Amino acid sequence: MKIMEIDKAVYRKNINRVIVFFVGSLAVLSLAFGAVLIAVFGAETVDPSGSTGNFHLNLIGVVLAAIVCASVLSRLKDKPYLKEIYYVWQLKQLHNKIYRKLTKIKNRAELHDVNALIILKFYYSSLKQVYLLDNNSLTLPTLEKDIIKLDSQIISQNLTISTDQFEADLLNKIV
């Protein structure tokens, strides 16, 4: 995966619209599916506590709405409007995979493993991009220190490492 440039204003505008659309669609579809299910399968009697016993039908309506919304987003993910959003989503998934092996990767980097250094270079650079896009300024100073430390290690070993060298398969080589 290559790091691509993203216009923060466009990304924020698009992600906010997608979130509002998703939440609104989820609410409307949940109500619609729940109402239809209750109309077809619902109990009309009310017990003394005031419950109709249709909770499970409403829950099924919410699950159906979530499935519909997720499938619509899945089909639209390759559209230009969602390009940046999908890219960041993929990047965050990749961050999770790297994070699970981060201790091993850092240990291998200390032993001057070039693959580990490439992974860390990509991880820190892409993490910085996501932090900036998501306005996560709280952990940015720590990340900056890690980037400086990694860059000085790369320079001290006279290596030329860039984020373009990263391939997800490199993670499989870290044991």
Side-chain angles (χ1 to χ4, degrees), residues 27-133:
V28 169
L29 288 174
S30 295
L31 290 173
F33 283 136
V36 169
L37 288 170
I38 289 171
V40 175
F41 303 109
E44 295 181 20
T45 59
V46 177
D47 67 13
S49 68
S51 174
T52 59
N54 293 326
F55 173 77
H56 66 286
L57 296 174
N58 281 321
L59 182 61
I60 291 170
V62 171
V63 170
L64 289 173
I67 291 170
V68 168
C69 289
S71 66
V72 167
L73 279 178
S74 176
R75 291 175 201 250
L76 297 176
K77 69 184 178 193
D78 296 323
K79 300 293 182 193
Y81 187 82
L82 296 177
K83 181 180 178 185
E84 291 91 0
I85 296 169
Y86 185 59
Y87 162 76
V88 172
W89 181 72
Q90 288 179 310
L91 207 53
K92 288 180 179 182
Q93 285 185 322
L94 191 53
H95 287 161
N96 284 333
K97 287 179 184 176
I98 294 171
Y99 184 77
R100 283 185 232 126
K101 291 187 170 189
L102 193 57
T103 303
K104 291 178 184 178
I105 294 168
K106 285 182 177 181
N107 289 340
R108 295 288 298 263
E110 291 295 324
L111 299 173
H112 311 298
D113 183 335
V114 175
N115 289 335
L117 294 170
I118 292 170
I119 293 169
L120 283 177
K121 180 76 171 172
F122 175 83
Y123 179 66
Y124 290 153
S125 298
S126 60
L127 202 58
K128 181 177 179 179
Q129 181 184 32
V130 171
Y131 284 175
L132 291 171
L133 288 171

Side-chain angles (χ1 to χ4, degrees), residues 44 78 89 137 167 172 175:
E44 295 181 20
D78 296 323
W89 181 72
S137 59
E167 298 290 334
N172 298 330
V175 183

